[in-house]
Amino acid sequence: MSAQYEVLAVRYGTRQASAAEVFLNYHVYREPDRPLPMDYFFWVARNPARSVLIDTGFSPAGGAARGRTMLMDTVPALRAAGTAPDAVTHIVLTHAHYDHIGGLPAFAGTDAEILMTRDEYDFWTGPMGRRGQFAHTAEASELDHLRELRAAGRLTLAGRTRQVAPGIELIQVGGHTPGQAIVTVATASGPVVLASDAVHYYEELERDRPFSIVASLADMYAAFDQIRELANGGARVVAGHDPLVAERFGHPADPPGVITISR
Ligand SMILES: [Zn+2]
């Protein structure tokens, strides 16, 4: 039997946003603006052989600088999900935005293998990542930390597809950022797609509405198509920032802040 995993979404932060803020050029839809809460998650895929952390959340400083509400810092949130930092064997970074890599320093002293796409790393450590419309979504000190990890041989750079571990694949889709990746995980109840910021809200997929922060609009639309194809093949899609994740997957027995995607 191939490897299968338990998958958890950990809701560590939140904020109040609005549709006009969240969807690219919202005025083209000719609808009134409406409040839209935004949740912040990272994800855990684990079985007796390994524990894979997908993204790490924002740092207290990175969140505070943007007025985000941190519900749990990365390590306590991970412990709430039942995993100790030392137990993490792999960390996959879907992209380098502050709310996905900010918790990474907590794992510097562990043996976890850290993985992200080469295109994402090259973009954010290169000159274009410093231009204003990109730079506000990242923290310079956190990008420096990526450079340090790379120099120390701790950070593996992946091509467009990569097996993270048996049953877990990283797939680069681009769009939201140049090297944005999604992660597919094999579970006992079929494949799960951790879409991260390729799909912040289900409305992006279901109404074909791109998100407001975009590096390539054509790639973002193409990523929607690719994720729909996975969904049509039976995969369950976990959106990256949507409070509906709790509604669609949540279980009464879940501990606070933890959503069981698949057992
Ligand atoms: Zn992002």
Side-chain angles (χ1 to χ4, degrees), residues 95 97 99-100 176 180 197 200:
H95 64 302
H97 280 165
D99 53 329
H100 295 259
H176 175 62
Q180 169 79 51
D197 288 6
H200 293 70

Side-chain angles (χ1 to χ4, degrees), residues 34-259:
R34 59 191 143 94
L36 204 51
M38 179 177 282
D39 282 345
Y40 292 79
F41 299 98
F42 60 78
W43 303 272
V44 178
R46 66 188 176 201
N47 66 17
R50 58 191 73 85
S51 294
V52 180
L53 176 62
I54 296 98
D55 291 336
T56 65
F58 53 65
S59 68
R66 295 166 178 83
R68 310 309 189 228
T69 300
M70 180 176 247
L71 302 170
M72 290 185 279
D73 202 347
T74 306
V75 168
L78 186 61
R79 288 192 191 279
T83 293
D86 284 347
V88 174
T89 53
H90 302 72
I91 301 172
V92 181
L93 304 174
T94 63
H95 64 302
H97 280 165
Y98 79 97
D99 53 329
H100 295 259
I101 69 168
L104 197 51
F107 301 90
T110 72
D111 295 329
E113 181 187 353
I114 306 166
L115 182 69
M116 68 187 296
T117 69
R118 179 176 294 279
D119 284 349
E120 186 72 2
Y121 179 85
D122 286 349
F123 177 82
W124 289 103
T125 55
M128 192 56 78
R130 291 195 289 274
R131 305 291 282 269
Q133 287 286 331
F134 290 117
H136 78 96
T137 57
E139 287 286 309
S141 63
E142 295 171 4
L143 300 174
D144 284 342
H145 185 57
L146 290 183
R147 288 186 185 91
E148 288 159 15
L149 290 169
R150 180 68 183 152
R154 289 289 317 278
L155 175 63
T156 303
L157 301 181
R160 294 195 61 93
T161 61
R162 169 101 173 196
Q163 182 179 269
V164 177
I168 303 183
E169 307 283 336
L170 170 150
I171 303 168
Q172 181 176 327
V173 296
H176 175 62
T177 61
Q180 169 79 51
I182 63 174
V183 176
T184 62
V185 184
T187 79
S189 46
V192 163
V193 179
L194 300 175
S196 178
D197 288 6
V199 180
H200 293 70
Y201 289 91
Y202 287 106
E203 186 170 343
E204 293 166 40
L205 266 193
E206 291 164 5
R207 302 183 77 183
D208 209 31
R209 294 185 162 180
F211 189 75
S212 55
I213 297 174
V214 55
S216 161
L217 181 54
D219 286 354
M220 187 176 277
Y221 275 128
F224 290 171
D225 293 342
Q226 194 174 347
I227 292 164
R228 283 186 197 112
E229 212 166 288
L230 292 168
N232 291 339
R236 287 166 300 152
V237 177
V238 180
H241 287 271
D242 199 332
L244 286 176
V245 169
E247 263 177 52
R248 293 189 180 190
F249 293 94
H251 188 274
D254 285 337
V258 178
I259 300 159

